[in-house]
Amino acid sequence: MIRDIFIFLSVLALFSAVMTVFARNLVHSILYLILCFFAIAGHYLLLNAEFLAIVNIIVYAGAIMVLFLFAVMLLNLNKTKRITLSRISLFAAVISGGILLLVFVAAIRKNTYMVNPVSLGSDFGSVKFLGKILFNEYILPFEISSILFLSAMIGSIILIKKEHR
Amino acid sequence: MINYQSTLQAVPLNWYILVSLTLFCIGAIGIIYRRNSIVIIMCIELMINSVNLLLAAFSAYNGNADGQIFVFFIMVVAAAEVTVGLALIVVMYRNINSTDISLFNNLKW
Amino acid sequence: MLLALIVLLPLAGYLLLTFAGKYFPRSSGGLLASLLVAISFLLSMGAFFMTRQHGMFVTGPFSWIDTAEFRASFSLQADSLTLVMSVMITGVSALIHFYSIGYMKEDPLINRFFSYMNLFVFFMLLLVMADNYLLLFAGWEGVGLCSYLLIGFWFKNPEYAKAADKAFIINRIGDLGFLLAIATLYITFGTLKFADIQTQLQSGIGVNQMTLITLLLFTGAVGKSAQIPLFTWLPDAMAGPTPVSALIHAATMVTAGIYLVIRSRALFMLSPLSMHVVSAIGIITALFAASIALRQFDIKKILAYSTISQLGLMFFALGLGAFDASLFHLLTHAFFKALLFLCAGSVIHGLHGQQDIRFMGHLKEKTPVTFITMLIGALAISGIPPFSGFFSKDGILAAAQQASPLLWILGLGVSLLTSFYMFRLIYLVFYGQYRGETGSWDPIHESPRIMTTPLIILAILSVISGLINVPGLFGGGEWLGNYTGLVQVMREGDHLTEWILMIITLLAVSGMILLARNRFTGKDIPEVSATTTKPIGRLLTGKYYVDEIYQAVITNPLARISDTLYSFVELKIVDALVEGVGATVSYLSRIFRFLQSGSVSFYLFFMVVGIILVLVLNLFM
C-alpha cells in the first residue's frame, strides 16, 4: 500500500511538473506548480518528515507561490500574449534534458545504497527532534540566515525603488 | 503517523532518487524551453524542490537528521532568492514592458 | 685601497662631467678632468716608489661573477710591470688632458670630451691593473668603446662617424679571438687569474693547446694594436681630435695588445710557433706601414702609419723573446709619439685647420717651440743618440741580430724608412718655402702656453727616458729590465759585434736623414708639385688599396647577403609567421563569435550541455 501511495504521489508530482513547463497560461503554470509542491509534501509525510511537509506547504506553496501570483497580477502579465516558442528550442531542450536524465541514471544504476538499520523512533522528523538539532548544532547558520533574509529584503526594496528625477 | 520504517522497506531508495532526478530534468527542460522569465524562476524552484526531496529521502534512509536541516536551510535560501528574482523581474518589466528574456540580447558581438 | 683610488678617480671625473656637466662653466670641466688624472699620476708614482723591486699591491677580490661553474672576481693587482705602465699612462694622459684644455677651447661640447677622456683613462688603468683575463677584457672592451666615442666625437660629420664605426668593428673582430682565448684558457686551466695560471703552467700543458690559446690572444692584440690584417682602422681614426690620436692611438690603447702579450709571456714562450707568428706579423707590418708613410700627405696619417710601424717593431721584439726591449720601446714610443702627435696638433691649430703638408713649409719661423719639440721627437724616433729612441731600438735590433742576421737587416730597413719619412715630414713642414694660400701666412701663430708646456715636458722625457734601461753595452744597469723581471738571459752577445752593428745603423740612419734633406728642401720638390706620379708612388699613396680590397671582398658580399636574408627570410618567412598567428586568431574568433548571441536560453542550453559533459567525463574516466 505504501508503494501505491508512493507511485500515486510521484505521478502527480511529475505530471504537475510537466504541466508547469508546458502550460500556455501563466497562472495555470503557477497553479500546477502549487500542486507539485503538495505532492512533494505528501512525499515528505511518507518519509516521516512532518516538519518539512508543513513548512513546504506554508512557505513554498503558501508564501512563495502567492508572491508569484501577486507579481503576475500586479504587473498584469496575464494578458495572453501569444509567445510563439520555436520548435528548435523544444527539441534542444527535450533532447538535452533527456540526455541529462540518462547520464544521471547511468551514474546511479550500479550503486547500492546501505540502509542504516538504526531505528530512531517515530519522532524522527518531528518538530521537537529537528528543533533540538537545529538549535544545538546549527545555531550559527540559523542566525546567519536571518542576515540573509535581511539582505534579500533590502535588496529587493532597493531594486524596486523608482529613481526620482 | 505513518511508520516510516514501512516506507523504508516498501520503497527502495533508488525509486526516490529516480523521481528526484526526473523532476530535476523536467526543470532543466523548462529553463531552456520557456522564454517567460517568471516561468523560468518557477522551474528553478522545481529543481530546488527535487533536490529537497532527494535530501529528505537520504536523511530518512540513513537515519540522519542532517539532511532535513539542510532542506530547511535550502528553503530559506530559496525564499530569499525568489524575493530578489521577482524584484528583478519587476525592474525588467519596467524597462521593456515585457518579461520575455529573448528581448534582452544587446550584450552580443 | 691605493689602487682603487688610482683607478676610480678618472671614473669619478667621467661621472661628474657626464651627469653634472652642464653646471660646470666651460673652462673648468677640462681643468677638473686634468687634475683628476694628475692626482692619479701622483698616486701611481707614490705606489711605484713604495714597491721598488719586489712587492705587489693587491686590491680585492670583490666577487663579480659567482656561480658554481664559473667564478670571476673584480680585483686589482699591481706588480712592477703594471706600475710602470700605469705611471706612463697616467703621466702622459695628464699632459694630454692639459694640452686639450687649450686645443678644444672653442668646442661647445668640451665637457663631454673630457668626460670621455677620463672614462678612457679609467678603462685603461683597469686593463693594466686587472688580475684576471676577464677583468682585463672588460678594460679592453672599455677602451675600445671610448675610442669609438672619441674618434666620432665630431659626430655630425658622417665621415667621422663612419671612421669611428670602422674602428670599433675591426676591434671587435680581434675581440672575438680574445673571447675565444678566454674560453680556452678557462677550459684548460679552470681559472682566469694570472697568478693561478702561472702556477699551473709548471705541470705541463700540451704545445698544441698553448699554440691555440696564444694565437687567439694574439688575434685580439692584432685588432687592438693595428697589425696586419686588422690595421685599417687606425689611419681613419685620425678623424678624431688630435689629443685623442695622441692619447689613444699612440701611447695607450694601441699598446694594450703589447701589454697583453707581455702579461701572457709565460704562455707564449711555451709555443714556439706562436712566437714566430708574432714576430713575422710584427716585422711585415712594420715594413708595410713604413712604406705607406713615405707617400702620405696628411700630417696625422703619416704619424698614424708610423705608429703602426713602431707597434710592428714591438711585436717583432716580443716574438723574439725580447720582452724587456719591447716594453722599453713601448715606453719611449709613448713619449715621443705622443709628443709628435701633440706637435702636429699644435701645427694644425696654428694653421687654423690645415693638415696637408703640401700646403705647409717654412714654419720654423712662426712656431719655434713646436718646431724644436717636433724635431726632438723626430730625432728620438729615428734612433739618434742620446735620445731615448736610440736605446730602445738598439735593444730590439740586438735581439733581432741574435736570432738571425736576416732579421737584423729587416729591422734595419724599418729604421731607415722611419727616419726617412719622419724627416721628410720635418723638412716639408718647417723648412723650405711656405706653400699655403697667399694671405694665410700672417695669421699663423704659435700655440698658447697651456699647449706648448706639455710639448716641452714630453720632449724632455723623450730625451732622458733612455736612461731607464741603458743596455749593458754602455755600462748601464738595465734598470727597467731588472725591475720588471723581464730580462732575457740570452742577450749576452759579443760586445764587439754589437758595437759594429750599432755604428752601421747610426751611419745608415744619418745617411737617410741627409738624403731626406736633399730631396725635400730647396726650391722645387718633385712630389709636391708633380701632377703625375709613377705607379709605385700611386700605390703607396693609395695605401696599397687595402681598404678597397676589404670593401670588395668582405664588406660588400656581407651587405648583399644581409639584404637577401632580409628580403627573403625576414619578410617572407618570419613576418608571415608572426602575422599568421594574428590572422589565425582573428579567423578563429570570427568563427566562434556566434557563441555570444545574447539570448539567455542559448546560454542556459549550453550550461546544461556543459553539465552533461562534466558528468560524462567524470563517470567514464
Side-chain angles (χ1 to χ4, degrees):
Chain A
M1 186 177 97
I2 301 272
R3 199 173 281 201
D4 298 332
I5 300 178
F6 172 81
I7 291 177
F8 168 68
L9 284 172
S10 304
V11 169
L12 185 61
L14 288 172
F15 168 73
S16 54
V18 171
M19 289 317 293
T20 307
V21 173
F22 290 106
R24 287 279 150 196
N25 195 338
L26 183 56
V27 180
H28 289 179
S29 281
I30 299 179
L31 293 173
Y32 278 119
L33 192 59
I34 294 180
L35 182 60
C36 181
F37 287 155
F38 272 102
I40 293 182
H43 274 297
Y44 286 150
L45 282 176
L46 269 186
L47 293 170
N48 207 10
E50 316 159 337
F51 178 64
L52 278 184
I54 298 298
V55 166
N56 204 2
I57 294 175
I58 294 177
V59 170
Y60 256 114
I64 294 179
M65 285 301 119
V66 172
L67 184 61
F68 268 106
L69 279 173
F70 271 137
V72 168
M73 297 306 176
L74 283 173
L75 294 178
N76 227 355
L77 296 172
N78 203 15
K79 342 189 250 271
T80 48
K81 299 178 260 192
R82 277 283 111 193
I83 306 174
T84 48
L85 299 161
S86 60
R87 285 275 168 190
I88 302 179
S89 202
L90 179 62
F91 283 150
V94 172
I95 290 176
S96 62
I99 294 180
L100 186 63
L101 184 60
L102 256 125
V103 170
F104 278 140
V105 168
I108 64 167
R109 212 163 47 89
K110 296 202 183 84
N111 296 339
T112 49
Y113 294 96
M114 294 291 296
V115 175
N116 196 339
V118 169
S119 153
L120 282 175
S122 64
D123 69 338
F124 177 77
S126 66
V127 182
K128 182 166 148 196
F129 188 73
L130 279 183
K132 264 208 198 121
I133 299 180
L134 184 65
F135 288 110
N136 280 334
E137 293 164 29
Y138 296 101
I139 186 69
L140 183 63
F142 183 76
E143 298 298 335
I144 291 182
S145 63
S146 67
I147 300 180
L148 179 69
F149 274 136
L150 182 67
S151 66
M153 275 193 284
I154 295 177
S156 56
I157 292 174
I158 290 179
L159 281 170
I160 297 291
K161 270 171 88 82
K162 281 209 179 123
E163 294 167 5
H164 300 286
R165 299 286 155 123
Chain B
M1 274 197 35
I2 301 173
N3 183 11
Y4 82 106
Q5 295 284 11
S6 52
T7 315
L8 295 185
Q9 286 160 351
V11 181
L13 181 59
N14 276 354
W15 289 23
Y16 268 107
I17 296 178
L18 209 58
V19 169
S20 168
L21 290 177
T22 315
L23 280 173
F24 187 86
C25 293
I26 293 175
I29 291 176
I31 286 183
I32 302 173
Y33 180 45
R34 296 297 297 258
R35 289 195 339 230
N36 193 335
S37 27
I38 293 193
V39 177
I40 291 181
I41 297 187
M42 277 165 40
C43 291
I44 293 176
E45 293 303 313
L46 186 56
M47 291 160 82
I48 291 178
N49 267 282
S50 78
V51 171
N52 285 350
L53 179 60
L54 189 64
L55 274 169
F58 269 111
S59 155
Y61 277 78
N62 286 341
N64 197 348
D66 286 344
Q68 299 190 2
I69 302 293
F70 205 168
V71 170
F72 178 78
F73 282 113
I74 290 181
M75 279 191 199
V76 163
V77 174
E81 162 217 336
V82 164
T83 309
V84 179
L86 282 179
L88 282 172
I89 289 183
V90 169
V91 175
M92 179 174 142
Y93 186 78
R94 273 199 208 139
N95 277 334
I96 55 175
N97 233 17
S98 159
T99 51
D100 188 351
I101 57 164
S102 64
L103 298 180
F104 259 172
N105 60 357
N106 279 344
L107 208 63
K108 63 180 177 187
W109 63 271
Chain C
M1 187 57 210
L2 187 63
L3 290 189
L5 210 58
I6 297 176
V7 169
L8 289 176
L9 273 175
L11 180 66
Y14 164 72
L15 290 171
L16 270 174
L17 283 174
T18 306
F19 294 111
K22 49 186 195 287
Y23 303 116
F24 284 91
R26 282 265 297 275
S27 51
S28 63
L31 200 58
L32 172 73
S34 313
L35 282 176
L36 283 172
V37 179
I39 296 178
S40 273
F41 168 66
L42 292 171
L43 291 174
S44 304
M45 287 292 282
F48 171 71
F49 280 120
M50 270 198 258
T51 54
R52 282 306 178 148
Q53 177 84 14
H54 308 287
M56 188 165 93
F57 280 93
V58 172
T59 305
F62 297 113
S63 166
W64 179 20
I65 302 175
D66 200 359
T67 66
E69 302 281 331
F70 182 74
R71 192 157 301 171
S73 63
F74 199 95
S75 48
L76 307 173
Q77 76 173 26
D79 61 353
S80 42
L81 171 65
T82 302
L83 281 174
V84 166
M85 290 288 294
S86 67
V87 165
M88 183 270 284
I89 292 169
T90 47
V92 175
S93 299
L95 287 172
I96 296 182
H97 272 76
F98 281 111
Y99 176 91
S100 314
I101 297 180
Y103 191 82
M104 301 291 286
K105 200 147 74 131
E106 282 105 37
D107 198 307
L109 294 172
I110 186 175
N111 282 341
R112 185 193 290 196
F113 179 78
F114 276 106
S115 77
Y116 289 160
M117 294 279 274
N118 267 11
L119 188 67
F120 173 82
V121 176
F122 162 67
F123 275 123
M124 191 69 203
L125 285 172
L126 196 66
L127 196 155
V128 298
M129 287 197 186
D131 86 328
N132 58 49
Y133 276 102
L134 199 61
L135 194 58
L136 195 152
F137 187 62
W140 185 275
E141 291 286 317
V143 294
L145 168 72
C146 293
S147 167
Y148 165 80
L149 288 172
L150 284 165
I151 295 174
F153 185 69
W154 290 316
F155 55 86
K156 299 213 172 82
N157 185 333
E159 296 287 324
Y160 296 170
K162 260 204 294 210
D165 279 341
K166 186 169 176 178
F168 195 71
I169 292 174
I170 294 186
N171 238 301
R172 226 45 192 122
I173 301 177
D175 291 348
L176 178 64
F178 197 155
L179 266 175
L180 289 173
I182 289 183
T184 325
L185 274 167
Y186 191 73
I187 294 175
T188 314
F189 294 103
T191 170
L192 289 176
K193 274 172 103 84
F194 299 136
D196 296 345
I197 292 181
Q198 296 272 54
T199 46
Q200 280 195 28
L201 279 178
Q202 281 145 14
S203 58
I205 312 283
V207 172
N208 287 339
Q209 213 152 7
M210 273 302 124
T211 310
L212 177 67
I213 292 178
T214 48
L215 282 180
L216 286 172
L217 281 174
F218 184 56
T219 314
V222 163
K224 188 68 84 177
S225 301
Q227 301 296 296
I228 291 178
L230 296 173
F231 67 95
T232 47
W233 61 271
L234 191 59
D236 285 8
M238 298 298 117
T242 310
V244 170
S245 309
L247 179 62
I248 298 186
H249 308 124
T252 42
M253 186 177 98
V254 292
T255 57
I258 316 270
Y259 171 76
L260 177 68
V261 176
I262 297 184
R263 185 52 87 190
S264 323
R265 61 187 179 280
L267 299 172
F268 275 87
M269 288 204 288
L270 286 177
S271 164
L273 177 63
S274 300
M275 299 284 266
H276 291 323
V277 168
V278 170
S279 273
I281 291 195
I283 192 66
I284 295 177
T285 309
L287 284 169
F288 185 78
S291 64
I292 297 181
L294 287 175
R295 267 308 190 129
Q296 294 297 311
F297 296 112
D298 183 330
I299 193 173
K300 286 174 69 171
K301 286 226 168 41
I302 297 178
L303 294 175
Y305 283 105
S306 169
T307 306
I308 301 179
S309 172
Q310 296 298 307
L311 287 169
L313 264 188
M314 289 181 223
F315 277 109
F316 177 54
L318 284 177
L320 295 170
F323 298 106
D324 56 338
S326 183
L327 178 66
F328 186 29
H329 196 60
L330 188 155
L331 291 173
T332 59
H333 173 262
F335 295 134
F336 54 66
K337 194 44 75 63
L339 169 66
L340 285 169
F341 265 111
L342 290 185
C343 290
S346 176
V347 166
I348 297 172
H349 181 86
L351 265 64
H352 303 286
Q354 173 64 264
Q355 287 184 251
D356 193 328
I357 60 176
R358 290 176 288 196
F359 300 114
M360 302 182 191
H362 204 68
L363 285 180
K364 67 175 194 272
E365 236 181 62
K366 280 272 188 165
T367 59
V369 180
T370 310
F371 165 58
I372 301 219
T373 48
M374 199 156 192
L375 185 61
I376 293 179
L379 287 171
I381 197 174
S382 307
I384 306 286
F387 297 98
S388 55
F390 167 68
F391 295 107
S392 56
K393 267 207 202 170
D394 174 73
I396 299 181
L397 288 179
Q401 181 265 329
Q402 298 226 307
S404 114
L406 171 65
L407 290 178
W408 178 81
I409 294 184
L410 290 176
L412 178 66
V414 174
S415 300
L416 297 179
L417 287 174
T418 305
S419 58
F420 189 68
Y421 67 65
M422 213 58 234
F423 275 92
R424 164 179 176 263
L425 177 68
I426 296 282
Y427 286 129
L428 279 179
V429 170
F430 293 104
Y431 285 83
Q433 285 180 328
Y434 182 65
R435 294 178 295 278
E437 293 170 2
T438 46
S440 59
W441 173 252
D442 293 321
I444 299 177
H445 60 276
E446 178 66 88
S447 304
R449 219 169 354 185
I450 191 156
M451 285 170 64
T452 54
T453 316
L455 295 181
I456 298 175
I457 298 180
L458 281 172
I460 297 177
L461 281 172
S462 303
V463 176
I464 65 170
S465 58
L467 291 174
I468 62 177
N469 198 26
V470 183
L473 201 57
F474 300 106
E478 293 204 2
W479 174 84
L480 179 69
N482 285 326
Y483 173 68
T484 54
L486 291 173
V487 179
Q488 293 297 302
V489 193
M490 64 181 195
R491 294 200 351 127
E492 299 304 319
D494 179 16
H495 274 221
L496 184 60
T497 324
E498 281 197 40
W499 273 108
I500 295 182
L501 291 176
M502 201 185 313
I503 297 201
I504 297 182
T505 314
L506 257 182
L507 288 176
V509 164
S510 316
M512 293 308 281
I513 295 179
L514 291 173
L515 185 64
R517 180 200 177 92
N518 204 7
R519 261 178 84 95
F520 296 113
T521 49
K523 290 281 188 248
D524 181 35
I525 304 171
E527 71 180 46
V528 170
S529 55
T531 46
T532 59
T533 46
K534 294 198 289 227
I536 293 189
R538 271 204 306 271
L539 183 67
L540 289 181
T541 312
K543 310 165 287 184
Y544 294 98
Y545 301 110
V546 175
D547 275 320
E548 286 76 10
I549 296 176
Y550 280 172
Q551 183 80 15
V553 171
I554 300 177
T555 322
N556 281 346
L558 275 180
R560 264 208 294 275
I561 290 178
S562 137
D563 277 337
T564 316
L565 278 180
Y566 177 71
S567 61
F568 181 61
V569 173
E570 174 78 15
L571 289 179
K572 294 212 178 71
I573 298 182
V574 176
D575 271 358
L577 214 63
V578 172
E579 280 173 29
V581 171
T584 310
V585 171
S586 306
Y587 178 66
L588 285 178
S589 78
R590 237 179 316 162
I591 293 180
F592 283 116
R593 232 181 269 169
F594 77 97
L595 278 175
Q596 292 275 352
S597 63
S599 96
V600 179
S601 346
F602 198 69
Y603 297 160
L604 289 167
F605 171 62
F606 273 101
M607 269 169 68
V608 175
V609 169
I611 294 176
I612 294 176
L613 278 173
V614 167
L615 283 170
V616 165
L617 283 173
N618 262 332
L619 288 174
F620 300 118
M621 216 28 112

